[in-house]
Amino acid sequence: MRTLKYISAFILAFGLQSSIQAQYSLQGQLRCSSSQQAISEVTIFLENTNDLITSDKKGSFQFKALPSGDYTLTFYKEGYASLTQVVKIVDQNININIPLDSLNVNLSTVNVSIQENGYGMRHMRAVEGMAIYASKKTEVIELKNTLANLSNNNSRQLYAKVAGLNIWENDNSGIQLNIGGRGLNPNRTSNFNTRQNGYDISADALGYPETYYIPPSQALKRIEIIRGAASLQYGTQFGGLLNFVLKNGPDDKKFEFTSENTYGAYNFFNTFNSIGGTLADGKFKYYGFYQYKRGDGWRPNADYQTHNGYLALQYKPTKKLTLNLEQTIMNYVAHQPGGLTDQEFKTDARQSKRERNWFRVDWKLSALNVTYKFSEKTRINFRNFLLYAGRQSLGNLQPINRPDYGGSRDLIKGCYFNFGNETRLLHRYSILKQPTVLLVGVRAYKGATQQQQGYSNDGKTGTLSDFQFENPADGILKSDYKFPSFNFAAFAENYFTIGPKFSITPGIRYEYIHTKANGYYQDLFVVPAASGFDTLKNEAIPEQRQSQRSIFLMGLGASYKPLTDLELYANFSQNYRAINFNDMRIVNPNQEIDPNLKDEFGFNADLGFRGTYKHIFNFDVSLFYLSYKRRIGNIQSSRPNAENPLIIEPYTLRTNIGDARVFGVESLIEADIWRLITKNKKTDWGIVLFTNFSWLDGRYLQTANSYASGKQLEFVPPVTLRTGLSVSYKKLKLAYQYSYTAKHYSDATNAELVPNAVVGVIPSYHIMDLSASYEWRWLKAQAGINNLTNAKYFTRRAPSYPGPGILPADGLSFYVTLAVQLGVK
């Protein structure tokens, strides 16, 4: 009997082992759902094994040696809606047919993934395009699924689902973007490496990474955000990467015309017009747009107008070679109403005390992108870009608690000419039959910036936007500098899979940076006299500086997937940030710059859990820690008045305050309530709820300044909450959003109130937005109300332009958009 038991147990174990070891194939074919043509070069990702393949010219694909079980396939190709499908293998080979929809086709009949079905958010895949994103905290905003006010780039709505962002809302036109994450300064998004279609768009990536240009939201396909771990692939910034991916024309039409016209409060008008198409059997593709926007603004002296144009041409002479040529031209002129003191803001937030302040930007971007595919496993990409641009600010920089009695206005001009190349090689290979991806790249960048400051030539009574310097008899401006720079970088990351559930991604980056400063600043000394002032001294003090540094950065990421749709991820990456040209020599009566400023360095670390559940829930909850050495910030101080030393006046000192850290929780949870109610049945209705919650704690740890020691970091709201509800029925959509930002500070000493209002507390505020849209064939109508309750609030205090002082955010406003789209197959 005992022998019989042993034999039975052996037979059972052998049977189980044979069953476990049985392997099958999963194959299929991809076709366009509208034309039924086979689709080649579709990237297919098998999440269970991390295998990555592409479809052949017949649209066919195949995975081999798979045991029985549930498998999640993701299909991705530019111009088509991404699709995620779960396939079940039960003791037999599987053959499936997969339809993909062009992004210009109605998607209502397609069973797409949760991110493509109304949420408007997804994460980057482990390997996508020419980059590795495995184990990094990433967010992708899909613009076609948002009901935000795109006509004025409403950042509160556009970035509503990106956790941990501090958003400045002082630019009512939406011309500039001011966002910062994890306690980083939001000013012109300078702590992100900001790109368009993968190439730089900021003024100077090394010494002045401020972004004066962003593309119109109506031209965008998606916005990609990779947090601090992006430092190894995209540059050393603490904030990470912000990449705007523009539309590139439909694949299934020879010509398509789109016109969107928006009318809104305060004489707002925006017209956006684009053309695009594909010719010569897919070898040639084109896309271009022109945008004109103007408005009067919520406050007096806040009028603006902007022109924005773009043209992209794509040519595929062979199946292996792709050439993309792009040109962007943008210019705008904006009247700036200036800032307010705290008391003035309480009395009347809409008032303006500056009618002579102006701002002008001219931006020209050129890019040539070349991609060559050696094989299905290896490809190389060359990104070449050139920027010729300028910005000019004109106005009265005196403290805002002093009236503008006239007098010569300060004029600051910046001219930026830089070009660069970034080359990337992506290679897929196997180690011990485990799929592996290697990315290596080099970057060369040369910049030439000139910055001048003086008085405008329209005398003491000028009020118009005259951006020309006066010609003083001695020829001396307040300052005149040239800032040449050179940067070479080399980087590598490797994505290793260890079994079907675990992966690690180590990386390294080397940076060589050489910056110079050549110019002079004015040494002027005047004393009061009977007829005004006597000049005792006026001479140009020459100044030359240069700095060379070599920097090595390292990082490591890890990912574990206990189930197909769940992922535990962690990463660590070092960061570095050079001092800005603006921190060298700018004459500002509200601020002084420490002449011994030093570069900043530190690291980002993330630990997160993300995934989806039955296409009903989508979530990403993570912990982070940011270490910031030699953090540059503002210290509130006082000094004798230059004209009367007996008067003590406040000012801010910009210096390396000390070492700091920020840690916190960032979370996004989305739920398809209607799918939950109907148990995942497909209907014409949809109800989606999202909650974006962040808790942050930022402190100075070590600092020589006793006033800042242990204080809260500036620009760190302890709590940020953005939540919303969207309801849809067929082609009708409604969306409501609530935003809350807790009280925080604008300087390192946590000053509450100062007379000139350039630093102080940012009180907590909450805002509501409402929007709706309806589509009928080739027509679309959208309308919305921003700041539904007409809340009075501000998000920023400025030491200089566009202030100085408190910059109020807009009150209640509305808009109506009518869009038409026509095309020829």
Side-chain angles (χ1 to χ4, degrees):
M1 181 67 68
R2 180 174 298 177
T3 302
L4 183 60
K5 287 183 179 179
Y6 287 147
I7 294 175
S8 301
F10 175 79
I11 293 174
L12 178 61
F14 180 81
L16 285 173
Q17 184 180 17
S18 300
S19 175
I20 291 172
Q21 292 178 342
Q23 296 179 327
Y24 307 96
S25 67
L26 170 57
Q27 61 185 6
Q29 188 174 46
L30 293 153
R31 293 185 178 276
C32 178
S33 60
S34 58
S35 66
Q36 295 302 308
Q37 292 181 345
I39 309 175
S40 63
E41 299 182 357
V42 177
T43 300
I44 305 143
F45 181 58
L46 185 60
E47 294 188 11
N48 308 62
T49 63
N50 289 318
D51 283 337
L52 196 69
I53 62 175
T54 56
S55 60
D56 61 21
K57 62 182 180 180
K58 295 182 180 180
S60 300
F61 65 91
Q62 184 179 42
F63 293 96
K64 298 179 179 179
L66 300 176
S68 295
D70 293 337
Y71 291 88
T72 300
L73 296 167
T74 299
F75 303 89
Y76 173 78
K77 183 177 180 178
E78 291 286 339
Y80 290 86
S82 298
L83 175 66
T84 297
Q85 182 162 324
V86 178
V87 178
K88 191 177 187 66
I89 296 179
V90 183
D91 300 334
Q92 63 178 347
N93 297 326
I94 298 295
N95 194 332
I96 57 176
N97 293 312
I98 303 294
L100 294 183
D101 257 2
S102 168
L103 288 177
N104 296 279
V105 178
N106 187 338
L107 302 182
S108 60
T109 61
V110 182
N111 180 25
V112 297
S113 66
I114 187 168
Q115 293 90 348
E116 297 290 341
N117 203 16
Y119 283 118
M121 288 285 290
R122 67 173 177 89
H123 303 293
M124 303 296 289
R125 300 166 186 84
V127 180
E128 190 168 328
M130 292 295 298
I132 294 175
Y133 302 107
S135 70
K136 297 176 176 63
K137 185 173 179 64
T138 66
E139 293 111 338
V140 180
I141 304 170
E142 300 284 358
L143 271 294
K144 63 186 177 60
N145 286 334
T146 181
L147 271 181
N149 184 354
L150 302 183
S151 61
N152 75 343
N153 298 330
N154 189 303
S155 52
R156 184 175 64 246
Q157 293 179 291
L158 278 172
Y159 300 89
K161 297 181 183 180
V162 181
L165 288 187
N166 184 9
I167 302 174
W168 282 355
E169 301 177 30
N170 60 282
D171 183 6
N172 61 342
S173 62
I175 297 173
Q176 293 184 18
L177 177 65
N178 297 281
I179 61 173
R182 302 180 174 179
L184 301 175
N185 192 335
N187 187 38
R188 298 191 182 99
T189 318
S190 58
N191 281 286
F192 280 95
N193 185 296
T194 311
R195 300 190 176 197
Q196 173 178 286
N197 291 339
Y199 55 85
D200 292 38
I201 63 173
S202 60
D204 189 301
L206 287 177
Y208 195 56
E210 301 197 4
T211 304
Y212 289 94
Y213 155 80
I214 60 169
S217 298
Q218 292 157 309
L220 296 178
K221 180 188 300 183
R222 63 182 181 271
I223 302 172
E224 300 170 346
I225 302 173
I226 298 92
R227 297 306 179 97
S231 62
L232 301 184
Q233 287 187 52
Y234 293 100
T236 61
Q237 298 284 45
F238 281 83
L241 171 73
L242 175 66
N243 185 37
F244 299 100
V245 180
L246 274 67
K247 298 173 182 176
N248 59 356
D251 288 325
D252 59 345
K253 294 179 184 178
K254 296 180 179 179
F255 176 81
E256 182 181 78
F257 170 72
T258 301
S259 181
E260 301 181 36
N261 296 277
T262 303
Y263 302 84
Y266 319 114
N267 201 27
F268 176 80
F269 172 69
N270 175 77
T271 180
F272 175 86
N273 303 276
S274 68
I275 59 172
T278 302
L279 305 171
D281 296 325
K283 288 188 174 182
F284 182 74
K285 181 180 285 190
Y286 65 97
Y287 178 76
F289 69 78
Y290 168 73
Q291 179 201 40
Y292 170 73
K293 178 163 57 176
R294 53 105 172 129
D296 290 340
W298 184 66
R299 301 171 63 196
N301 305 312
D303 49 290
Y304 57 88
Q305 65 173 351
T306 177
H307 299 267
N308 205 330
Y310 170 83
L311 178 64
L313 304 175
Q314 183 186 92
Y315 178 55
K316 293 184 177 181
T318 69
K319 292 184 178 180
K320 293 187 175 183
L321 179 63
T322 303
L323 307 173
N324 290 276
L325 182 64
E326 302 176 35
Q327 179 64 49
T328 301
I329 299 177
M330 184 273 287
N331 67 79
Y332 71 83
V333 177
H335 208 165
Q336 296 187 326
L340 301 174
T341 67
D342 289 77
Q343 185 57 46
E344 289 165 346
F345 175 80
K346 292 178 182 179
T347 303
D348 180 8
R350 296 188 67 177
Q351 65 179 300
S352 168
K353 298 177 64 180
R354 296 289 186 264
E355 63 175 343
R356 305 191 303 142
N357 289 13
W358 295 85
F359 195 75
R360 175 178 172 176
V361 169
D362 296 279
W363 226 251
K364 298 179 181 67
L365 276 164
S366 303
L368 174 63
N369 196 326
V370 181
T371 302
Y372 185 78
K373 185 166 69 173
F374 295 100
S375 67
E376 294 296 331
K377 295 183 178 180
T378 307
R379 64 182 63 189
I380 192 169
N381 174 256
F382 305 91
R383 300 173 187 173
N384 307 280
F385 54 92
L386 182 148
L387 170 72
Y388 180 70
R391 51 85 71 197
Q392 301 165 66
S393 53
L394 172 66
N396 182 351
L397 273 179
Q398 291 298 318
I400 202 65
N401 54 346
R402 301 178 187 175
D404 183 3
Y405 291 116
S408 298
R409 293 180 291 173
D410 271 283
L411 174 59
I412 301 175
K413 286 188 177 184
C415 182
Y416 316 102
F417 178 73
N418 53 64
F419 57 92
N421 167 271
E422 187 170 289
T423 300
R424 292 167 170 250
L425 176 71
L426 189 77
H427 176 63
R428 295 180 173 90
Y429 64 105
S430 296
I431 296 179
L432 300 176
K433 296 184 180 181
Q434 297 296 317
T436 305
V437 182
L438 171 67
L439 172 70
V440 295
V442 294
R443 171 185 169 93
Y445 178 90
K446 187 168 182 61
T449 293
Q450 182 176 17
Q451 192 160 268
Q452 299 172 301
Q453 183 176 4
Y455 291 115
S456 64
N457 70 351
D458 56 359
K460 299 180 182 297
T461 60
T463 60
L464 301 179
S465 53
D466 187 345
F467 296 97
Q468 299 297 322
F469 285 115
E470 70 176 358
N471 187 20
D474 48 24
I476 300 177
L477 299 174
K478 287 187 176 183
S479 64
D480 188 350
Y481 280 84
K482 292 182 179 178
F483 300 101
S485 60
F486 175 74
N487 171 228
F488 172 80
F491 56 91
E493 285 198 34
N494 207 118
Y495 171 61
F496 297 98
T497 59
I498 305 173
K501 296 182 179 182
F502 186 69
S503 69
I504 60 171
T505 308
I508 189 171
R509 184 181 184 94
Y510 166 74
E511 290 262 350
Y512 170 76
I513 301 173
H514 187 189
T515 55
K516 296 181 180 180
N518 300 313
Y520 71 85
Y521 63 92
Q522 182 186 37
D523 186 6
L524 176 66
F525 183 68
V526 297
V527 295
S531 59
F533 292 92
D534 286 339
T535 300
L536 300 184
K537 185 179 182 181
N538 185 19
E539 60 179 299
I541 307 299
E543 186 176 29
Q544 292 187 347
R545 303 187 200 177
Q546 69 171 327
S547 176
Q548 299 183 58
R549 45 270 212 216
S550 294
I551 304 156
F552 284 94
L553 302 176
M554 295 183 292
L556 179 65
S559 171
Y560 175 70
K561 289 189 173 183
L563 297 174
T564 300
D565 296 327
L566 300 178
E567 179 186 12
L568 181 67
Y569 64 93
N571 63 70
F572 165 88
S573 283
Q574 293 176 300
N575 303 93
Y576 171 87
R577 190 170 190 265
I579 63 173
N580 284 357
F581 296 147
N582 255 16
D583 293 332
M584 299 283 284
R585 185 68 66 179
I586 287 291
V587 181
N588 180 355
N590 304 291
Q591 187 177 58
E592 286 187 7
I593 306 295
D594 183 348
N596 298 312
L597 277 179
K598 295 179 175 61
D599 297 338
E600 305 161 297
F601 63 95
F603 66 85
N604 270 273
D606 293 286
L607 175 63
F609 186 52
R610 62 191 173 199
T612 62
Y613 177 71
K614 292 186 177 180
H615 288 195
I616 295 176
F617 295 100
N618 180 38
F619 65 91
D620 186 349
V621 180
S622 64
L623 305 173
F624 77 89
Y625 186 94
L626 186 153
S627 174
Y628 214 132
K629 304 294 184 181
R630 299 197 301 228
R631 178 182 169 110
I632 295 175
N634 296 327
I635 290 284
Q636 180 63 20
S637 188
S638 59
R639 64 188 174 191
N641 182 275
E643 300 175 6
N644 187 349
L646 298 178
I647 299 177
I648 304 299
E649 62 183 6
Y651 78 103
T652 59
L653 174 65
R654 186 162 178 79
T655 185
N656 292 102
I657 299 172
D659 297 345
R661 63 100 179 110
V662 187
F663 66 81
V665 178
E666 298 172 335
S667 66
L668 172 67
I669 301 174
E670 301 175 280
D672 193 324
I673 305 300
W674 192 255
R675 281 181 178 267
L676 180 64
I677 295 173
T678 61
K679 298 182 179 179
N680 234 345
K681 292 181 180 179
K682 183 175 179 59
T683 71
D684 292 331
W685 284 89
I687 302 176
V688 176
L689 174 69
F690 82 88
T691 297
N692 166 4
F693 174 80
S694 301
W695 174 83
L696 281 70
D697 184 80
R699 300 280 173 177
Y700 283 102
L701 301 178
Q702 295 181 355
T703 172
N705 191 300
S706 60
Y707 293 105
S709 180
K711 295 293 181 67
Q712 293 184 29
L713 287 185
E714 59 270 43
F715 316 124
V716 183
V719 174
T720 303
L721 171 67
R722 298 183 180 98
T723 185
L725 179 70
S726 63
V727 179
S728 63
Y729 176 71
K730 294 184 177 180
K731 298 295 184 179
L732 177 65
K733 297 179 181 179
L734 302 172
Y736 165 82
Q737 179 179 312
Y738 171 84
S739 305
Y740 170 79
T741 301
K743 170 186 172 181
H744 55 287
Y745 297 95
S746 60
D747 83 312
T749 62
N750 294 180
E752 294 276 349
L753 180 67
V754 296
N756 62 11
V758 298
V759 296
V761 69
I762 308 292
S764 62
Y765 55 90
H766 54 90
I767 312 298
M768 301 181 196
D769 299 292
L770 187 66
S771 54
S773 72
Y774 181 77
E775 295 181 48
W776 178 79
R777 300 179 65 183
W778 42 269
L779 287 174
K780 180 180 179 180
Q782 182 171 328
I785 301 175
N786 294 126
N787 194 354
L788 185 63
T789 61
N790 197 27
K792 184 173 71 171
Y793 69 107
F794 64 92
T795 62
R796 180 184 183 185
R797 294 174 183 264
S800 181
Y801 297 117
I806 291 173
L807 301 176
D810 282 7
L812 183 146
S813 64
F814 67 89
Y815 69 95
V816 176
T817 299
L818 297 175
V820 58
Q821 187 175 91
L822 303 172
V824 177
K825 292 281 189 178

